[in-house]
Amino acid sequence: MYKLFFDSDSDVTLEIAKKYNATLISMPYALNGEEVSPYKDWKVFDAKTFYDALRKGDANPTTSALNEREYIEYFEPVLKEGKDILYVHFSRQMSATFNSCDAAIKTLLTKYPERRIQLIDTKAISISSLLTCIRIGELVNEGKTIDEIVAVSEDIVMTSSVYFYADNLKFFARSGRVSGFSAFMGGMIGVKPIIYMSSEGKMVSIDSAIGRRKALDKILGYVEKKQDGFKKYPVLIAHADSLALVDEFVAKLKEKFGEFEYTVVDVNPTAGCHCGPDVIGIAFHGKER
C-alpha cells in the first residue's frame, strides 16, 4: 500500500488530486509580504484577480520554500498508517525546497525504517510537470506498484515536452530562473523569448520572436518538430489570464494537426509569480525533451 503525493507547483488542483486519490502539497507564494498557501487558504484559484494584480503592478510577488517540519507534517501521518509514499514533484532544479524535503525524508526513515518514500522528479514545472503527474496518476489508478511506475517514469519524464513564451520580461528577469534569458534583455520592444524545460529540469530560453502571435508561430514549429503521438496522449495548454490568445493558438494547432483533445490550464500562482501575466504554453508527448 502506498499514497500518492503531488504539489501545487505542478498545476495540480484539488479536483485533479482527488481523481488520483493523491495528497496535494501546497507551495506558498506571497503578495506584498502576505503569504498564501494554495488550496489551503483558498480552494479555487482566482486567476483573473491574481494576474490582474500583477499586470497593474498592485502586488510584489515572491515565493518561498517549505521547511523540514512542513514536509514531515505531510508525510508522517501516511507512514504511521503503514503506507509507503510516492511523491511526483516539480523540478528539483527550480527550488531549494527539496533540501528541506530531503532532510524530512532522512528524519522520517530513521523513525520508520520499514517504510519507503519514493520521489519522482518531473524535471519540469506548471503544465509540463502536470503532464507527467497525470500519466503517472493513471498508472496508480490502474493498480501499478511503485516499482512498476519507477521503471517507466524516466521515459514519461523525458518525453513530456513543453514550450511557452515570456510576455513581460521583468517577471522572468527578476526570478533568475531562466538560463540564457539575459540575451533577450537588450531593450527590444515586444520581444518574446521562447522557453522550454531542458532534460536537466531547467527553464532555458532557446529562441525569440517579436510579438505574441509570432511567438505562437515559433512554438507551433517546435511542436511540429518534437510531437509524437499528438492525439494519443494528453495535450495541455496553459495561460496566465490570456484566454483569447489560447483560442487563437488552438485554431493554429488544429489547422496543423487536425482535431485533438486538449485541456486548458491556469498557470498556478506560485509559478505565476515568476512568469507574470499573459504567458501561453503547451505541454505534449514528444519524441524527446
Side-chain angles (χ1 to χ4, degrees), residues 2-20:
Y2 65 93
K3 180 69 174 177
L4 180 62
F5 280 77
F6 296 136
D7 57 61
S8 60
D9 269 6
S10 299
D11 283 342
V12 176
T13 64
L14 289 175
E15 183 179 8
I16 293 171
K18 183 179 180 181
K19 181 177 180 180
Y20 303 111

Side-chain angles (χ1 to χ4, degrees), residues 20-289:
Y20 303 111
N21 192 29
T23 296
L24 182 58
I25 295 176
S26 177
M27 294 296 172
Y29 65 95
L31 298 180
N32 295 325
E34 182 178 349
E35 187 169 279
V36 180
S37 294
Y39 304 106
K40 294 173 73 174
D41 293 329
W42 42 255
K43 301 302 181 185
V44 178
F45 176 37
D46 184 353
K48 177 67 175 174
T49 299
F50 175 82
Y51 286 112
D52 269 345
L54 299 192
R55 189 178 288 115
K56 296 173 184 175
D58 294 341
N60 178 32
T62 59
T63 60
S64 58
L66 297 183
N67 58 44
E68 179 182 350
R69 174 187 55 79
E70 289 169 309
Y71 279 107
I72 289 174
E73 288 175 352
Y74 276 110
F75 293 152
E76 187 165 25
V78 175
L79 301 178
K80 277 186 176 180
E81 291 178 3
K83 296 180 181 178
D84 295 331
I85 288 171
L86 175 62
Y87 176 23
V88 186
H89 60 78
F90 76 101
S91 176
R92 180 177 287 269
Q93 295 288 336
M94 301 296 294
S95 176
T97 196
F98 295 106
N99 294 330
S100 298
C101 185
D102 292 342
I105 291 171
K106 182 177 180 180
T107 297
L108 288 168
L109 292 183
T110 299
K111 189 174 181 179
Y112 303 93
E114 73 285 2
R115 299 269 58 88
R116 176 181 182 182
I117 302 176
Q118 177 69 53
L119 304 188
I120 294 178
D121 187 345
T122 65
K123 297 184 179 181
I125 196 169
S126 189
I127 52 167
S128 48
S129 187
L130 176 58
L131 191 65
T132 295
C133 289
I134 289 173
R135 293 183 64 191
I136 289 179
E138 293 295 337
L139 295 177
V140 172
N141 281 357
E142 290 171 10
K144 302 296 185 184
T145 66
I146 289 180
D147 286 334
E148 288 173 325
I149 291 171
V150 168
V152 298
S153 63
E154 182 176 0
D155 180 67
I156 292 173
V157 168
M158 288 296 98
T159 56
S160 294
S161 301
V162 65
Y163 291 89
F164 61 97
Y165 70 77
D167 190 77
N168 190 324
L169 304 189
K170 73 177 183 180
F171 291 96
F172 277 105
R174 184 171 57 196
S175 79
R177 283 174 166 81
V178 183
S179 300
F181 190 76
S182 59
F184 298 102
M185 291 299 292
M188 296 175 64
I189 302 300
V191 64
K192 310 296 179 188
I194 310 301
I195 299 169
Y196 88 118
M197 295 297 304
S198 72
S199 58
E200 293 79 29
K202 297 179 179 180
M203 288 193 293
V204 179
S205 184
I206 56 169
D207 204 343
S208 66
I210 303 298
R212 295 173 178 172
R213 288 173 175 82
K214 289 184 178 179
L216 292 179
D217 287 337
K218 283 281 186 77
I219 292 173
L220 183 62
Y222 282 108
V223 174
E224 185 176 16
K225 179 181 178 181
K226 291 289 185 72
Q227 68 86 22
D228 183 31
F230 198 74
K231 298 181 180 182
K232 182 179 179 181
Y233 298 100
V235 175
L236 306 177
I237 298 174
H239 71 108
D241 192 31
S242 46
L243 195 54
L245 277 176
V246 168
D247 293 338
E248 184 175 328
F249 186 40
V250 169
K252 288 176 179 287
L253 290 165
K254 288 184 176 180
E255 183 178 353
K256 179 68 66 175
F257 300 109
E259 291 294 325
F260 67 97
E261 293 185 6
Y262 64 93
T263 302
V264 177
V265 179
D266 290 312
V267 176
N268 72 80
T270 312
C273 288
H274 298 287
C275 74
D278 302 310
V279 169
I280 289 181
I282 181 170
F284 58 95
H285 180 81
K287 299 172 185 175
E288 58 186 1
R289 271 289 172 105

